[in-house]
Amino acid sequence: MIKLKRRAFLAGTSAVLILPALPALATGYTEADVLKEKVSSGALPPVTDRLPANPLVVKPVESVGKYGGDWNMALVGGGSLSMLFRYQAYEPLLRYTPDWSGVTLNVAEAFDGDAESKVYTIRLRKGMKWSDGQPYTTADVKFWYDTVLTDKRVAVTSQGHWKTAGKPAKLEVVDEQTFKVIFEKPNGMFPLQVAWANNDHTTRCPKHYLEQFHIDYNPKADELAKQRGFESWIAAFQAASGFQDDNAFFLNSSKKPCLNAWMFTTAPGENTERVIAERNPFYWKVDTAGNQLPYMDRIVYQMVADPQVLLLKAMQGEIDLMDQYIATPNNKSVLYDAREQGGYDFYTLTSTEANVMNFIFNLNHNDATKRKLFRNKDFRAALSTALDRQTLIDAVLVGQGAPAQPSIKQGDPLYNEQLATQFTSYDVDKANAMLDQIIPKRDDQNFRLDDQGRRLTIIFEIDQARAIFLDLFQLVIPMFQAVGIDAQMRTMDRSLWETRVRQGRDFDATAHQFGANGGVAAMLDPRYYVPTDSNAMYAPAWQLWYLDRNNENAEEPPEETKKLLELYDKLKATADPAGQQDVMKKILQGAADNFYVFGVSQPPDSYGIVKNNMKNITRTMPNSFGWPTPAPTMPEQFYKA
């Protein structure tokens, strides 16, 4: 049972703390000068009227900050907008603690679960407002429930944490601040899943704005949709709400109200050179001295084409804090030498990822011959055996790492030796012998032929912004060719990659990095162990079946995969940590037996860069998308000295 009241659960961390309200300051809150000017002119109500009755109080990491300045950042390529959850858009009902030991209150003022983990009672903050000053209440939650979660016309397939036994939880609205989530079966992991980077829609669905796009609330929604270039209100509502895709959520979103510390004034898609988010005057957090957060006036994102441009900007001091796309092993020495020039230093990222790079074959390929071949475990094992991992580690990872499959890190209670080590020994002769049993015929250039007599060409479609993948594949392709596989790499912008791979069925294979290597993270993001969501790109149709068996693109998985999905349902229903571990161990053994994907090495700890004048920065933090680095350390309390 989880029971979070005003004092949040904290697990001995010295990083950012969330404290009880400051009733003594109820008439003495302070704000940025730019907001004081707007209050004086009548453009804004006083700060006491903009804050909720019980604002969330944040104890800064180092010291109470000062107002002003820009946080200079970058977005790489057109499809990297999910990065925004890391920087400005992580405001779920509950958020992860800075050390990722549990969850703590955030948008919710209280979050109570019953003894069976079937009924959760959640209370919002009275007087809390969207960035345009409109109230945020349970009406917004109900609107999301009615128009997104349960509206089959809109057909959003995520939000599995709101479902048990394939059915959505019931929503019971008690009053303007209180609602209940009632599950048919126990859902012990619900609080942990609510806090995942982009899971919580209930804090991102402003009814007063989005209802204009939905036919049930606006009879002219179809007409409005066509004026905006859409075929119907459904497409317009899907685009405006953006819940089907992270990129869509942020694109052209400057008019969409939010609960974030900074709100877009120039959103992605509205400018090709830079994107700007300015302070939200209705933001609902204060520091221990009663100063309304955030401290910084703006976040300014430069739009850059590729990681090399970003690297140059970082070296020149144009980036205030960042790790994504530049923190590769090869870049570290270059960035180290440029520290004085760029006015920055390093922070440490502890590894939470399942592997440096995961090889992902499309087990649901539209091509029946490739589908049959890719589903053959021995085929995947042969290609894994053809990889000289130590050479890859020495050449690209600067010797940091050791051969391993996507797996749990050694020393974690969930560690499974078979999962971590099988098929990692480099043996070209053995790989060839295994492939000879499956696809023995070859053409005149010694490439293998598939069952239809076609040369077996496998195209790995790669996000071009992942520099480390590109470097690895320069060495990987000859290794695959040495065993008769015509392996090729096709690079593309992230936005096209999202469409082709995450949302497609025609791609052969890809590579990706994330997933989790231990503890709570592995249970919440088991993408390589069991296909529960769209991150399981090796099984796009199986994960759809798990989320929505009526989806026209869903496909019933084989029996061994169905058993793992049933175990994951059991895991989600279990609230006891020991019981969760027992079930997860069974899932990991099943993953070892099925061998869905393979990799190179578990990653060593990584790094990021931070300008020397940036304050209240947590210097060691997990490296994860689910714990969206660095968002749980609360960027709203960052400031510049």
Side-chain angles (χ1 to χ4, degrees), residues 125-144:
R125 298 174 189 276
K126 187 175 182 179
M128 190 167 168
K129 298 176 177 64
W130 293 99
S131 55
D132 61 357
Q134 292 298 308
Y136 169 66
T137 69
T138 51
D140 298 292
V141 178
K142 187 175 189 307
F143 177 78
W144 168 79

Side-chain angles (χ1 to χ4, degrees), residues 13 18 40 89 102 120 155 189 201 225 274 286 355 401 407 411 413 441 455 457 466 527 541 576 627 631:
T13 174
I18 297 174
S40 297
Y120 293 89
M189 294 185 71
H201 292 178
R274 66 177 190 166
V286 299
N355 210 270
S407 54
K441 295 180 181 179
R455 175 183 289 186
T457 299
R466 298 288 174 189
R527 64 179 74 182
D576 170 54
W627 187 98

